[in-house]
Amino acid sequence: MTEHIIKRSIEDDMRESYLDYAMSVIIGRAIPDVRDGLKPVHRRVLYAMHEMGNTHDKPHKKCARIVGDCLGKYNPHGDTAIYDSLVRMAQPFSLRYMLIDGHGNFGSIDGDSPAAMRYTECRLAKISANILSDIEKETVGWTDNFDGTTKEPVVLPSKVPNLLINGSSGIAVGMATNIPPHNLTEIVDGTIAVIDGADEQKLISIVTGPDFPTGGTIVGRSGILKAYTTGRGIVRLRGKAHIDEKKNTIVITEIPYQVTKTSVIENIVEAVKNKKIEGISGIQDHSDKKGMEVVIELKKSANAEVVLNQLYVHTQLQGTFGIINLSLVDNEPKVLGLYEMIRLFIEFRKEIVRKRCEFELKKAEERAHILEGLKKALENIDEIITFLKKSKDIVQARAGLVQNYSLSEIQANAILEMKLSRLIALEREKIENEYQELLKKITWLKDILADVGKILQIIKDELLEIRNTYGDERRTDILDSEDDIDIEELIPNDETVVVISNRGYVKRVGLDEYKTQHRGGKGVMGGTKDEDFVQDVIITKNHNYLLLFTDQGRVFWLKVYRVPESSRYATGKTLVSLLDLKDEKVTSWISVDRFDSGEYLVMCTKKGTVKRIGLNNFGNVRRGGIRAITLKEGDRLIEVRKTDGKQEMVIATKKGQSIRFSEDDAREIGRTGQGVRGVRLKSEDDEVVGLAVCKKPALLTITENGFGKRTHIDEYRLQTRGGSGVINIKTEGRNGEVIGVRAVEDSDEVIVMSSKGQAIRICMKDISVIGRNTQGVRIIRLAEDEKVASFAVVPKSCQNEEDEHEMESVKSDGNNEPEATVEENKADGQDTESEKEKSE
């Protein structure tokens, strides 16, 4: 036997072998696929459970059985690796949205290990059905398993952007991945926005940042922005803790992601021993199934704020999370930005939906073909039965059917297999109905395959269904940091509408979503939760600050672009999740582009107190808010207006009284001052509802029953503050009590919102200019149990061109009223000039 020797340098052999090993680890073990967000072992576990029928609606099965099945068929790397992967997918502190529903001891956030696989049970979580759905419809590729005895999917046809909502981490050879989890609602909204043509800047304004299963707070946005644009970034993540002043303790309720509670407590003890932290007298762990509660007891002389800052600096209560968005794209590892990750997922879903439609079309056409043969057989059933009786065997019967009745072999076989019970008239009708439905389905599927827009619409509909089923609130807060880069450079400074509801939900809506109509219409849906209604709307710009004043007299700052952008129909975000509110409610907010020393804020309370203060007193932005006015017992802050120091003001009450005075009458007072009397209320059940700056020629007044009017400012004589004022509008009868007042001009428009979320936008010219002591005209048509909740004036600079089609449709629906005539005004109870003078 002749030996064949190949000369080869050891360097070349080592290099080739190492590269083969490296690629095997990268592709086959450590790096997730950008399409379904899974590593091979996780994909194999989920598919093995799906194949076993271990779904969310079936009983739990032993984990050992699942591990054994996966090990024997798909994963050759050992049972420990499989079980560890299964456990992680069932841990609520590891995955933002668990893929496996575990039963038993699957470990804890304390760092405890899970029980052995023979003791635990599991099944697929409900959300996993959306990752595995349509896998039987030839939507994904298949490959041989490790020993060639069966097939396994190359990727799962996930409807969910799993890579982003659950993240992934892994160390390969020469590279690593560390993708953070995100909020499903934000990712779905961002994906839909990209489908609709949004660019990277728009996407970053929707997806605010990672959302970890353990909550916590991200400090600063620069790392998030860098990771979303380049694929790499570092975010500072800290746990949540609050100071209990009554008990002199610090209470830790959330810890950073991938940090155990035990290690945090050990860090604190070690820091106290080494005297890095002073002022701590003891630590108690009161955590239970309801949540985490680590109580740090402080010495009497300790400063709680200082101790808390020391905890962040010297313990694992604060750390960093290095984001590396490395994933496999066509079996090639790539570092991707957020926009590219979502774009690749959309392309993947387009392919899945197309293949699914092709599969369903093929099956529908095959079934329709068989039904056509059955219909022919039923039309000639007597002849066919006679022929089949004379046939010697199936071969002869099949050939005769094909030759005599122009049938295919498939149709002939279907006829031969047809039961006699299907010959009755009812079954004939069922066949015909089924055939007609199939024809409709075939047409529909062909239309989808011919139009990529319809495929994208299907993807959007599926995403919306997932969001509505599994979407939830963010758990991780994001705190602005002084060293943040200027994120405003990436956000266009467009006009926008900010809406706040009575239950504290806030959202940002594009101005063009509110189309212009005539007064008296029913309006369009504004979007609120059940039993909630819109409290206020404001027209502003994305780069402005919102100063949010609470009824308790405190003020908070919020950049407009930090308010989550939503459609008109969306609920929005809670103010509690955006601000550090403490048993208080936001009652007034204004837009500020800069804090100039020449501008002032005029505040008004429910009991008629006014206060004037320089705007520059609020230039030092603080997350926790500051005191804006000191209130008397039982009083609350109603409204705040920005002025230049030379304006005249009008205060209006809900019983229809008003007073006009110069703001100079109210001297400038510091932040902690109480203010002075602005209006004297005539009755105990009256209260202030609005404050207007007389910069425009008329005063718009709107009542709770949907009526309103414009009155020229000159009709309100200038008085000294502190008086009871004059009549502004009649509140008896149809009008109801006053909702608020605004200074307006002819070119303005007004957006009125009702307690049921209806919104209407109308031209100011459609609202009559009439006297003070009158009832006005209908502004919006309301249901019997509906009231006006709020309104906002849209200046001319913010208005878009009218939608003529919508204007015509509103005119023709019979919901609008013409301008009120003199006779109608009298019939409505409006007073003449002599009557007004007499009443004054």
Side-chain angles (χ1 to χ4, degrees):
M1 182 176 179
T2 304
E3 292 184 1
H4 183 65
I5 299 174
I6 300 175
K7 293 185 177 181
R8 181 181 177 87
S9 67
I10 191 169
E11 292 87 354
D12 292 341
D13 189 70
M14 289 293 291
R15 183 182 300 108
E16 184 177 318
S17 298
Y18 185 79
L19 288 174
D20 289 343
Y21 165 72
M23 290 307 297
S24 174
V25 173
I26 291 169
I27 296 174
R29 298 189 73 170
I31 307 299
D33 195 294
V34 73
R35 297 170 291 181
D36 61 4
L38 298 170
K39 299 178 187 179
V41 62
H42 300 101
R43 187 179 301 118
R44 288 163 179 165
V45 169
L46 293 178
Y47 177 67
M49 295 176 71
H50 172 76
E51 195 179 31
M52 293 170 62
N54 191 19
T55 54
H56 72 276
D57 53 350
K58 303 290 178 59
H60 295 80
K61 284 183 168 56
K62 283 283 187 182
C63 290
R65 177 180 176 185
I66 294 161
V67 170
D69 200 60
C70 184
L71 178 66
K73 290 183 177 180
Y74 309 115
N75 200 70
H77 299 301
D79 59 342
T80 302
I82 297 173
Y83 186 54
D84 288 347
S85 300
L86 185 153
V87 165
R88 186 176 184 276
M89 290 190 285
Q91 290 176 331
F93 51 87
S94 293
L95 262 64
R96 184 64 176 83
Y97 301 92
M98 293 179 293
L99 302 181
I100 290 178
D101 175 18
H103 185 67
N105 176 16
F106 280 80
S108 72
I109 199 169
D110 284 341
D112 300 323
S113 300
M117 67 180 80
R118 62 183 178 273
Y119 298 120
T120 56
E121 299 177 345
C122 69
R123 61 184 177 187
L124 288 172
K126 189 176 181 180
I127 195 172
S128 296
N130 296 283
I131 295 178
L132 289 150
S133 63
D134 303 326
I135 195 170
E136 295 88 2
K137 295 183 179 180
E138 300 177 1
T139 52
V140 296
W142 297 78
T143 186
D144 289 335
N145 69 337
F146 62 90
D147 60 1
T149 56
T150 187
K151 296 283 186 181
E152 63 176 299
V154 175
V155 67
L156 298 183
S158 178
K159 296 180 181 179
V160 184
N162 182 60
L163 183 62
L164 284 166
I165 66 169
N166 276 325
S168 184
S169 62
I171 300 174
V173 179
M175 60 183 65
T177 183
N178 201 28
I179 303 171
H182 290 78
N183 183 268
L184 185 144
T185 300
E186 290 186 354
I187 292 299
V188 168
D189 289 343
T191 304
I192 291 174
V194 172
I195 292 174
D196 291 337
D199 57 11
E200 186 177 39
Q201 296 178 3
K202 178 74 170 179
L203 175 62
I204 292 174
S205 69
I206 297 173
V207 183
T208 57
D211 189 26
F212 298 101
T214 53
T217 301
I218 296 173
V219 183
R221 299 177 185 267
S222 57
I224 298 172
L225 182 61
K226 188 175 180 181
Y228 284 174
T229 53
T230 68
R232 294 178 182 269
I234 298 176
V235 297
R236 191 155 31 120
L237 182 62
R238 64 170 55 161
K240 286 183 183 177
H242 65 270
I243 297 170
D244 190 334
E245 296 178 355
K246 293 181 179 179
K247 298 181 179 179
N248 195 30
T249 59
I250 296 174
V251 182
I252 300 173
T253 55
E254 295 176 5
I255 60 176
Y257 183 53
Q258 294 177 337
V259 174
T260 64
K261 183 179 64 178
T262 302
S263 65
V264 172
I265 295 174
E266 289 174 352
N267 277 172
I268 296 173
V269 172
E270 190 69 23
V272 172
K273 285 182 179 179
N274 296 334
K275 297 186 177 180
K276 292 181 180 179
I277 302 177
E278 296 181 353
I280 295 178
S281 61
I283 302 176
Q284 296 183 16
D285 187 1
H286 296 163
S287 304
D288 54 23
K289 291 182 179 180
K290 295 180 181 179
M292 183 181 298
E293 185 180 349
V294 178
V295 179
I296 301 174
E297 299 173 348
L298 303 179
K299 298 177 181 177
K300 292 183 178 180
S301 60
N303 185 320
E305 292 285 353
V306 173
V307 174
L308 182 57
N309 288 332
Q310 290 176 339
L311 288 171
Y312 289 141
V313 173
H314 297 296
T315 73
Q316 290 186 356
L317 192 59
Q318 177 173 286
T320 58
F321 186 93
I323 299 175
I324 308 173
N325 292 333
L326 179 73
S327 57
L328 295 178
V329 182
D330 295 330
N331 278 340
E332 181 181 346
K334 289 185 178 180
V335 177
L336 305 170
L338 177 66
Y339 183 88
E340 190 65 13
M341 295 170 79
I342 288 181
R343 187 192 66 80
L344 289 169
F345 174 77
I346 293 170
E347 292 299 318
F348 169 63
R349 284 302 302 166
K350 284 165 62 177
E351 184 69 13
I352 294 297
V353 173
R354 184 184 62 79
K355 288 182 176 179
R356 182 181 69 193
C357 289
E358 289 175 347
F359 175 83
E360 291 178 350
L361 177 62
K362 182 180 69 173
K363 292 296 183 182
E365 289 177 337
E366 290 175 354
R367 179 60 180 167
H369 180 65
I370 291 174
L371 291 176
E372 288 171 355
L374 294 179
K375 287 174 63 181
K376 287 183 181 179
L378 291 173
E379 290 171 359
N380 303 278
I381 190 65
D382 294 334
E383 297 178 15
I384 289 176
I385 290 175
T386 302
F387 168 74
L388 292 177
K389 287 180 179 179
K390 296 178 180 179
S391 300
K392 294 181 179 179
D393 52 29
I394 293 179
V395 176
Q396 183 183 13
R398 183 187 300 113
L401 290 173
V402 171
Q403 182 177 359
N404 298 334
Y405 300 98
S406 301
L407 299 173
S408 67
E409 287 193 12
I410 295 174
Q411 291 173 326
N413 287 331
I415 292 171
L416 291 173
E417 294 171 0
M418 186 171 63
K419 296 179 180 179
L420 291 175
S421 61
R422 303 203 65 178
L423 300 179
I424 60 178
L426 182 60
E427 290 298 325
R428 296 185 185 188
E429 185 178 351
K430 285 184 178 179
I431 291 172
E432 180 62 31
N433 291 339
E434 183 184 356
Y435 180 69
Q436 294 301 324
E437 289 298 322
L438 280 174
L439 292 180
K440 292 178 183 178
K441 184 177 182 180
I442 289 169
T443 302
W444 176 69
L445 290 170
K446 287 181 176 179
D447 288 344
I448 293 173
L449 291 171
D451 186 354
V452 69
K454 292 182 179 179
I455 292 178
L456 290 173
Q457 186 59 49
I458 289 174
I459 296 172
K460 287 168 62 176
D461 292 341
E462 291 175 346
L463 285 171
L464 287 171
E465 184 180 354
I466 290 169
R467 186 192 69 182
N468 295 335
T469 305
Y470 305 103
D472 55 5
E473 296 287 338
R474 283 187 64 87
R475 297 181 185 175
T476 303
D477 295 335
I478 301 177
L479 180 64
D480 291 333
S481 176
E482 294 179 359
D483 58 357
D484 271 353
I485 66 171
D486 192 7
I487 194 173
E488 290 182 4
E489 296 178 0
L490 298 175
I491 299 173
N493 195 21
D494 296 335
E495 300 281 353
T496 188
V497 178
V498 181
V499 183
I500 185 172
S501 79
N502 184 60
R503 291 175 62 184
Y505 286 84
V506 64
K507 63 183 176 182
R508 180 162 49 98
V509 183
L511 187 62
D512 55 356
E513 289 211 32
Y514 295 100
K515 301 299 184 181
T516 304
Q517 301 179 23
H518 281 304
R519 68 171 181 84
K522 287 187 175 180
V524 294
M525 182 58 68
T528 55
K529 270 185 172 294
D530 294 339
E531 300 180 358
D532 195 8
F533 61 87
V534 174
Q535 175 182 314
D536 201 4
V537 292
I538 189 170
I539 314 299
T540 182
K541 289 188 174 183
N542 283 327
H543 290 187
N544 285 9
Y545 276 102
L546 286 180
L547 292 182
L548 298 108
F549 296 85
T550 73
D551 56 351
Q552 300 300 316
R554 293 209 300 160
V555 60
F556 295 84
W557 292 261
L558 186 65
K559 277 287 189 178
V560 172
Y561 60 77
R562 301 292 189 205
V563 178
E565 186 171 18
S566 307
S567 69
R568 191 177 67 239
Y569 306 97
T571 302
K573 200 87 168 191
T574 59
L575 277 172
V576 175
S577 65
L578 299 174
L579 305 174
D580 187 18
L581 298 176
K582 298 177 180 178
D583 298 326
E584 51 196 324
K585 180 180 178 182
V586 173
T587 56
S588 184
W589 49 353
I590 62 172
S591 173
V592 177
D593 56 350
R594 58 184 180 273
F595 297 91
D596 289 342
S597 58
E599 292 186 303
Y600 296 85
L601 296 180
V602 179
M603 307 175 188
C604 189
T605 72
K606 181 179 71 171
K607 293 186 176 181
T609 299
V610 294
K611 173 181 176 178
R612 188 164 72 105
I613 181 173
L615 182 60
N616 57 350
N617 286 277
F618 300 94
N620 185 15
V621 179
R622 300 182 197 171
R623 174 176 171 80
I626 60 174
R627 172 66 55 190
I629 182 174
T630 300
L631 299 171
K632 297 179 181 179
E633 186 176 355
D635 203 0
R636 63 188 183 95
L637 185 61
I638 293 295
E639 202 149 32
V640 182
R641 295 290 176 213
K642 185 174 67 172
T643 73
D644 58 6
K646 303 175 183 179
Q647 300 298 322
E648 295 174 353
M649 320 294 295
V650 173
I651 297 177
T653 75
K654 71 177 183 180
K655 295 298 183 182
Q657 290 294 114
S658 63
I659 185 170
R660 176 186 173 195
F661 64 94
S662 173
E663 69 169 292
D664 289 337
D665 284 352
R667 69 183 185 276
E668 186 177 348
I669 304 176
R671 283 197 301 105
T672 58
Q674 288 186 344
V676 295
R677 185 188 297 277
V679 63
R680 187 181 300 277
L681 303 175
K682 287 187 173 182
S683 60
E684 292 184 358
D685 60 341
D686 198 6
E687 62 185 47
V688 173
V689 293
L691 174 69
V693 182
C694 303
K695 287 185 176 181
K696 296 181 179 180
L699 189 72
L700 172 67
T701 304
I702 293 181
T703 65
E704 62 182 353
N705 291 337
F707 294 87
K709 66 180 178 68
R710 287 189 295 156
T711 302
H712 203 280
I713 289 292
D714 290 342
E715 292 206 25
Y716 301 85
R717 67 176 183 269
L718 190 62
Q719 300 176 250
T720 303
R721 64 163 183 83
S724 59
V726 297
I727 294 177
N728 175 32
I729 190 173
K730 285 189 171 183
T731 57
E732 66 273 7
R734 66 173 194 179
N735 279 1
E737 295 175 340
V738 177
I739 290 297
V741 294
R742 298 287 188 275
V744 296
E745 57 188 351
D746 287 347
S747 60
D748 290 340
E749 294 177 348
V750 61
I751 298 175
V752 182
M753 292 194 176
S754 78
S755 58
K756 291 189 175 180
Q758 291 294 116
I760 187 171
R761 178 174 173 177
I762 58 179
C763 296
M764 200 61 65
K765 291 181 180 180
D766 284 349
I767 302 175
S768 302
V769 179
I770 51 182
R772 286 188 296 102
N773 193 12
T774 54
Q775 286 191 324
V777 296
R778 187 186 299 278
I779 304 296
I780 182 172
R781 188 175 297 276
L782 303 172
E784 290 184 4
D785 57 344
E786 193 174 14
K787 300 289 184 182
V788 172
S790 63
F791 66 95
V793 173
V794 185
K796 184 177 181 180
S797 60
C798 300
Q799 296 171 16
N800 297 325
E801 294 182 3
E802 290 184 346
D803 187 330
E804 296 296 336
H805 175 73
E806 185 164 354
M807 292 285 287
E808 290 300 322
S809 66
V810 173
K811 289 178 183 178
S812 63
D813 68 3
N815 291 323
N816 296 294
E817 293 183 343
E819 294 292 340
T821 64
V822 175
E823 290 76 11
E824 288 171 336
N825 288 339
K826 289 181 177 179
D828 286 337
Q830 297 185 11
D831 296 334
T832 63
E833 288 298 316
S834 60
E835 289 172 332
K836 286 190 291 181
E837 294 173 359
K838 184 177 180 181
S839 64
E840 291 177 15

